Amino acid sequence: HFGIFEYSTLKKNFFWGFGTRLIENFSIWMAEPEKALLDHWHLNQGEWTGSRLVEMRYQNLDQLDWGKILAYAKSNYAQYNV
């Protein structure tokens, strides 16, 4: 059992920040972790408060490039008042 997966569609202008990976002889497109997190925040409406972030129980946040997240957010999500 791998968990619950949810698929969403993004507008074409948000279709960036991914690369191809070979997994068990299948070539797949996979988002960079930083882009995946921004997409998650974008697709799940509501205010992202500190308590909401804690409730999400995110793991391995120390492995993310927070500078990249901020740069991506400012340049590509500016209309959302990041």
Side-chain angles (χ1 to χ4, degrees):
H1 184 22
F2 294 106
I4 298 171
F5 292 86
E6 184 176 313
Y7 296 90
S8 301
T9 302
L10 293 170
K11 292 180 181 180
K12 285 186 179 184
N13 60 324
F14 288 106
F15 202 67
W16 51 270
F18 63 90
T20 57
R21 288 195 177 178
L22 189 63
I23 298 181
E24 296 184 14
N25 294 321
F26 291 98
S27 182
I28 64 166
W29 288 352
M30 184 178 290
E32 297 171 352
E34 294 83 2
K35 177 64 165 77
L37 187 58
L38 284 172
D39 288 346
H40 171 72
W41 289 340
H42 173 69
L43 292 168
N44 290 278
Q45 296 186 3
E47 185 178 359
W48 283 95
T49 62
S51 61
R52 184 174 181 194
L53 292 171
V54 169
E55 287 175 13
M56 295 304 294
R57 299 182 183 182
Y58 294 121
Q59 298 175 10
N60 303 316
L61 295 177
D62 59 323
Q63 296 178 20
L64 296 175
D65 180 341
W66 290 94
K68 182 188 280 188
I69 290 173
L70 187 58
Y72 280 177
K74 284 185 176 181
S75 64
N76 298 288
Y77 291 84
Q79 66 189 12
Y80 300 100
N81 297 318
V82 175

